[in-house]
Amino acid sequence: MNKFFIMLAHTYMNRLKSKSFLITTGVTLLLIIGLANFETITERFTGKESEDNQKVAVIGEQEGLLGPLQGYLDNQEPSIELAAFEGTKKEAEQAVQAGEYTAFIEINKSDGIPRATYYANQIANTSISNQIREALQQVKVMIAAEQAEIDPEVFQQISAPVNFETVALEENAKTEEELSEARGLVYVMLFIMYFAVIMYGNMIAMEVATEKSSRVMEILISSASPVAQMFAKIFGIALLGLSQITLFMVVGYQAVKMNQDTLTGGVFDYFGLNNLEISLFVYLIVFFILGYLLYATLAAMLGSLVSRIEDAQQLIAPMTLVIVAAFMIAMFGLNAPDSGFVTVTSYIPFFTPMLMFLRVGMLDVPIWEVGLSIGILIATIVLLAVIGARIYSGGVLLYGNSSSLKDIKAALQLSKKE
């Protein structure tokens, strides 16, 4: 057992001090801090546009249109101020180029119906032009209704959006608001699970391949059993991942706490970060750990079959494709979590960590279904651990161009000779 902890500590410290790990961790921390301070950073570099910079000049046949247009624009963000321009089109162009106006629009009428042309220095940013287009559309509809002599009250009733509500009949079903919040939060957590499993699984495979390529494995085999080595690497990388994720969470929490006044509403509300459910985090931890153990065992087994670092990526490619498939199904399931396809695939062990977590977060799943999926997943992990230990025992003795899954048979034969 003492040798096991020595190898675990060696794996942990070796990866912790590696340049790639330190650079990845540092870049991710900067990204987290940057996202939490995104609004502040944006304001610092670009500054908030003043009302003068939001002015749009209006030329042409603008009689009776400026007031209604401004009325529609006042209810939108960012605020846009329309100003009648008495000069010529050429003078309006010069005023925009001089920075007096953000843009100008030229309005013409055909049978009383307005049409406009938008002019700006750059038209890549369409936020202002889209708002003006929408406002002009509303004015056009209003004028057309007046020309058709439609009663204003009748027209208002026709234009008003239909009152449509959704109500779940099941007693414990989530409301539409809760479902929207859960969808955003599950989306974020699925990304975390996806990248973490791929990253740490690759670490394990590369760790084994690195030791084999440097012939360190021959020394390790003589001092400890291959099974102990495999699980030392699995738990060593797991401890590394736990340390990294904990660091991300602590820094992220502090960054959000320092900017909680600006991180309200909008995307922050959409992702459900204002109404976090403890049970969802419990399920996240459970499925994350089980998913890690499943793919980590598989990665260690595959990593033991290669003798060169270059071959490791090629051999674990099928495992990566399985993870990608699970993620793609989960993305589909975000809009249809109760579909039969998502339900059935959530019981397939390699898909369970993401898909069952998706269902738990989006639906009111019976506890026995969650327990059944966890039981199947644990049984699969144990089976993979037993088979993987045997393959690992023989795989670490394989040298040469071992980059095919056919080498599993050779590894099993070598393990029987021990």
Side-chain angles (χ1 to χ4, degrees):
M1 186 59 69
N2 186 40
K3 294 180 181 179
F4 172 83
F5 286 110
I6 292 176
M7 289 186 293
L8 187 151
H10 170 74
T11 300
Y12 177 80
M13 295 304 299
N14 186 44
R15 278 292 172 181
L16 184 66
K17 296 177 181 178
S18 65
K19 290 183 178 179
S20 60
F21 178 80
L22 294 175
I23 292 174
T24 302
T25 303
V27 170
T28 306
L29 289 175
L30 289 176
L31 181 62
I32 292 173
I33 296 172
L35 289 174
N37 294 272
F38 181 76
E39 186 173 345
T40 304
I41 294 173
T42 303
E43 291 177 5
R44 180 66 60 87
F45 283 96
T46 62
K48 286 187 175 180
E49 293 183 310
S50 65
E51 289 188 359
D52 290 339
N53 290 331
Q54 290 295 322
K55 278 188 176 181
V56 175
V58 182
I59 64 174
E61 302 177 63
Q62 53 185 281
E63 295 81 5
L65 296 177
L66 207 58
L69 282 173
Q70 188 65 63
Y72 284 111
L73 292 173
D74 287 341
N75 297 323
Q76 300 183 28
E77 289 291 339
S79 179
I80 300 172
E81 180 184 349
L82 299 180
F85 191 83
E86 301 299 335
T88 64
K89 182 178 178 180
K90 185 66 175 178
E91 291 172 340
E93 291 179 2
Q94 293 173 351
V96 171
Q97 292 172 351
E100 298 177 20
Y101 298 95
T102 302
F104 78 91
I105 57 174
E106 182 181 15
I107 299 178
N108 296 303
K109 291 181 181 180
S110 176
D111 297 330
I113 302 299
R115 55 188 178 87
T117 306
Y118 178 85
Y119 298 89
N121 290 328
Q122 295 287 339
I123 59 173
N125 185 351
T126 60
S127 60
I128 296 177
S129 61
N130 286 340
Q131 287 188 38
I132 296 176
R133 180 187 292 110
E134 292 174 5
L136 193 62
Q137 175 66 24
Q138 296 294 329
V139 173
K140 172 194 170 185
V141 172
M142 181 183 67
I143 293 174
E146 289 178 356
Q147 291 179 350
E149 298 182 353
I150 299 176
D151 186 272
E153 294 183 1
V154 175
F155 176 74
Q156 187 175 4
Q157 291 178 357
I158 295 174
S159 303
V162 63
N163 186 9
F164 187 83
E165 297 181 1
T166 56
V167 178
L169 296 178
E170 293 186 9
E171 183 179 352
N172 297 323
K174 294 180 182 293
T175 64
E176 187 176 7
E177 182 180 355
E178 292 173 339
L179 199 59
S180 297
E181 292 178 349
R183 182 178 288 108
L185 188 58
V186 169
Y187 183 80
V188 173
M189 292 184 175
L190 283 175
F191 262 103
I192 295 174
M193 292 177 66
Y194 170 72
F195 286 111
V197 169
I198 286 183
M199 182 171 64
Y200 299 129
N202 285 346
M203 276 189 187
I204 294 174
M206 296 297 291
E207 185 74 14
V208 177
T210 301
E211 290 182 352
K212 284 188 66 177
S213 64
S214 63
R215 300 288 176 171
V216 175
M217 189 65 70
E218 297 174 357
I219 301 174
L220 292 175
I221 292 174
S222 61
S223 59
S225 68
V227 176
Q229 295 175 38
M230 184 181 79
F231 285 102
K233 295 186 189 308
I234 290 175
F235 289 109
I237 298 297
L239 185 61
L240 180 72
L242 182 63
S243 302
Q244 190 178 43
I245 292 175
T246 301
L247 179 62
F248 292 160
M249 292 180 67
V250 171
V251 173
Y253 174 78
Q254 291 298 328
V256 170
K257 188 176 180 181
M258 292 174 62
N259 296 274
Q260 58 185 353
D261 293 335
T262 59
L263 294 176
T264 54
V267 176
F268 196 67
D269 283 339
Y270 173 78
F271 284 140
L273 298 178
N274 287 332
N275 299 289
L276 301 178
E277 294 183 8
I278 301 299
S279 60
L280 197 58
F281 278 99
V282 173
Y283 281 123
L284 172 66
I285 294 171
V286 170
F287 284 114
F288 180 83
I289 292 175
L290 293 178
Y292 168 80
L293 291 175
L294 179 73
Y295 286 106
T297 304
L298 189 58
M301 178 187 71
L302 295 175
S304 67
L305 298 175
V306 299
S307 301
R308 299 183 307 168
I309 300 175
E310 307 87 67
D311 297 331
Q313 292 292 338
Q314 178 182 346
L315 201 59
I316 65 174
M319 183 190 78
T320 304
L321 291 177
V322 172
I323 301 173
V324 172
F327 182 75
M328 296 303 294
I329 297 173
M331 290 298 100
F332 162 77
L334 281 173
N335 295 317
D338 57 346
S339 67
F341 178 67
V342 174
T343 301
V344 172
T345 50
S346 67
Y347 293 100
I348 300 176
F350 291 101
F351 298 155
T352 296
M354 289 189 184
L355 298 185
M356 186 53 74
F357 172 70
L358 165 72
R359 293 183 62 211
V360 169
M362 300 286 292
L363 304 172
D364 182 33
V365 181
I367 191 66
W368 69 266
E369 291 190 21
V370 181
L372 178 62
S373 66
I374 291 176
I376 295 174
L377 184 56
I378 292 175
T380 305
I381 292 172
V382 173
L383 180 63
L384 270 181
V386 173
I387 298 175
R390 290 186 59 188
I391 295 176
Y392 189 96
S393 300
V396 293
L397 300 174
L398 286 176
Y399 285 92
N401 295 325
S402 301
S403 59
S404 171
L405 293 177
K406 295 179 181 179
D407 296 311
I408 292 178
K409 182 178 179 181
L412 288 172
Q413 291 175 344
L414 282 174
S415 67
K416 294 178 181 178
K417 296 179 180 179
E418 293 184 355

